[in-house]
Amino acid sequence: MAAISSDIRFRVISAVGLFLIVLAVRAAPSAKAAPVTVTGTETRLVVNIPGFLKLLNDGIFITAIPPARLEYGSQPAAIFPVTGGLYDVPNSLAAVTHSGGLHIEKASINTSIDITNITLQCTGITGCKLIGTVNGAVPTDVADVVDVVATDDEAGTITFYGRALVTTAGALALNTLFQTNVFVAGMELGELHATYTYDATQPDAYPRPRTAPSTRTSLVPAYQECTAPDRVHGPPLDSSSCNPPVPSSPNVTVGSPDSNGPAANSVAFARYKAMAGNPTTPADEADVAIRVSATDIRAPNLSDYTGELQAQVTLRITDKNNTPLAPIFPDDQRGTVQDTPLSATVPCATTAGSGIGSTCSITTTADTLVPGTVTERDRSVWQFDRVRLLDGGPDGDAETAGDNVLFATQGVFVP
């Protein structure tokens, strides 16, 4: 094999060193990176035949360094077994290593190189590249990988596709080394088709549904608990009961003809809807949309209620946003949070007609109420306690602490 000149070797090493410095500075991982450990299987480089023929016509031959191998036929390919690595598909982060390599030789000038330790490297900033060790020296770019499509079935298999293109620096170095001009920046080496496997089970993982996009809860007037019964309910629910029923709230009511005269026009509900984030952007778009509405809300004298209501739900959150010691350790561990209330003040507006009371409503999100409540890619399971609607207390101000009383709670009305 012909020796590589010291000038060429210096330029190659300098270019590689510069690349590694830029990569270290620019390719900071996402704060919520969650890579899986890749254990198999292989990456196939399906050869671009026109480009391959150009090399052959110039006397450049490529053979596989075991355990990599070449397959011939209608779609010739170089196959590289996977030795390990990490892959975080949502954040476009990867470092997957392979065994074997390629031996590239031009016998007419007695020159060859061995490319081994081939690694698929991806970052959200620099994109994907093939990195390899040339003749046992420092790692360098083998190819840029474009048009990348990676999917994770979350059951232990990642599939990868991309097109491998010769880099500008690579074309210059190869043309110089092999005394040719067949290598051109952007020249397609072939298509990458890869399958990577990993162990999907994790000792601290938690069960979660495939989907639970929203919940809509009807709200009905709440009544005080029966503590001094003077009646018995009919069978089969023949429990003790109290007469008369006493509403929980002394400050707010709804119309009901057999109770206070006005027609029964009240409809109340609370809706919570998951808003998925976009893992391809650095922003955190994940959130939970909240919609609360209650109609025909009246003061005790049956006039339109002019105060506020307060919607409350107690959350028991299980997610991947926990840390044993903040801020020293990252908040990327699994855990169930102690029960936490989430409240929203619901303003009320009087109605023009006399036949119906005020309409109280709000449309908001969890992150609007408490910024940072929902974090993208944390795979949150929100367990709800009952949804409650409180009145604004005697002063009608829902944010006045301690005097709000339960007015409505989740339930159904059976006519």
Side-chain angles (χ1 to χ4, degrees):
M1 184 183 110
I4 301 175
S5 73
S6 59
D7 180 61
I8 294 175
R9 187 181 300 275
F10 174 76
R11 282 185 287 166
V12 171
I13 293 175
S14 297
V16 172
L18 177 60
F19 166 78
L20 294 175
I21 291 171
V22 172
L23 180 65
V25 172
R26 298 179 60 193
S30 166
K32 285 294 176 182
V36 296
T37 300
V38 175
T39 57
T41 54
E42 64 183 26
T43 297
R44 300 175 65 90
L45 174 63
V46 179
V47 175
N48 178 272
I49 294 178
F52 183 65
L53 291 177
K54 287 183 180 180
L55 299 183
L56 292 179
N57 291 334
D58 196 69
I60 299 173
F61 293 87
I62 301 176
T63 56
I65 300 173
R69 66 188 191 278
L70 295 180
E71 286 186 359
Y72 298 95
S74 60
Q75 287 189 319
I79 297 95
F80 305 96
V82 168
T83 57
L86 299 173
Y87 209 135
D88 177 11
V89 172
N91 291 321
S92 301
L93 300 172
V96 181
T97 58
H98 303 77
S99 58
L102 294 176
H103 176 78
I104 306 175
E105 181 175 359
K106 189 172 183 178
S108 63
I109 60 173
N110 193 29
T111 299
S112 68
I113 59 172
D114 289 338
I115 303 176
T116 55
N117 301 321
I118 294 175
T119 299
L120 173 68
Q121 178 177 273
C122 300
T123 74
I125 297 175
T126 62
C128 293
K129 295 178 179 290
L130 287 180
I131 308 297
T133 300
V134 179
N135 289 345
V138 295
T140 188
D141 289 5
V142 174
D144 288 327
V145 182
V146 300
D147 300 334
V148 171
V149 178
T151 59
D152 182 355
D153 67 359
E154 299 186 4
T157 302
I158 296 171
T159 57
F160 179 92
Y161 168 84
R163 295 190 302 119
L165 308 181
V166 175
T167 66
T168 301
L172 176 61
L174 291 170
N175 284 333
T176 302
L177 180 64
F178 290 109
Q179 301 175 20
T180 184
N181 59 3
V182 296
F183 295 97
V184 179
M187 173 183 177
E188 183 170 324
L189 297 176
E191 296 182 354
L192 293 173
H193 298 264
T195 300
Y196 305 135
T197 56
Y198 63 90
D199 184 0
T201 61
Q202 301 176 40
D204 61 345
Y206 51 91
R208 50 93 178 178
R210 177 180 177 85
T211 181
S214 66
T215 179
R216 186 184 187 279
T217 301
S218 296
L219 302 173
V220 296
Y223 291 87
Q224 293 183 14
E225 182 183 2
C226 177
T227 57
D230 56 2
R231 302 287 191 276
V232 177
H233 192 275
L237 303 179
D238 48 354
S239 299
S240 299
S241 57
C242 293
N243 173 270
V246 180
S248 292
S249 171
N251 305 306
V252 178
T253 190
V254 298
S256 187
D258 53 346
S259 172
N260 49 31
N265 287 319
S266 181
V267 176
F269 69 89
R271 185 171 186 263
Y272 299 84
K273 181 179 180 181
M275 301 167 62
N278 184 353
T280 64
T281 66
D284 180 0
E285 297 104 340
D287 208 338
V288 174
I290 301 171
R291 166 75 172 156
V292 180
S293 177
T295 58
D296 193 35
I297 307 303
R298 300 170 178 267
N301 63 4
L302 302 182
S303 63
D304 285 15
Y305 178 66
T306 58
E308 299 171 330
L309 302 179
Q310 185 179 67
Q312 282 189 355
V313 64
T314 299
L315 306 178
R316 185 173 298 172
I317 300 174
T318 299
D319 62 13
K320 299 189 293 184
N321 190 20
N322 305 277
T323 175
L325 184 62
I328 298 175
F329 293 99
D331 52 351
D332 58 0
Q333 299 189 15
R334 297 166 177 82
T336 298
V337 186
Q338 290 186 331
D339 291 1
T340 304
L342 181 65
S343 302
T345 297
V346 183
C348 299
T350 60
T351 56
S354 59
I356 188 169
S358 295
T359 295
C360 307
S361 65
I362 187 173
T363 299
T364 186
T365 72
D367 278 345
T368 300
L369 296 173
V370 183
T373 296
V374 185
T375 307
E376 193 168 321
R377 294 184 292 273
D378 274 339
R379 192 175 288 175
S380 300
V381 175
W382 282 25
Q383 179 180 332
F384 285 176
D385 194 359
R386 59 175 179 152
V387 181
R388 307 189 303 160
L389 197 59
L390 281 61
D391 62 31
D395 59 1
D397 186 351
E399 297 179 4
T400 303
D403 63 352
N404 300 342
V405 180
L406 180 65
F407 156 59
T409 188
Q410 65 185 57
V412 296
F413 167 61
V414 184

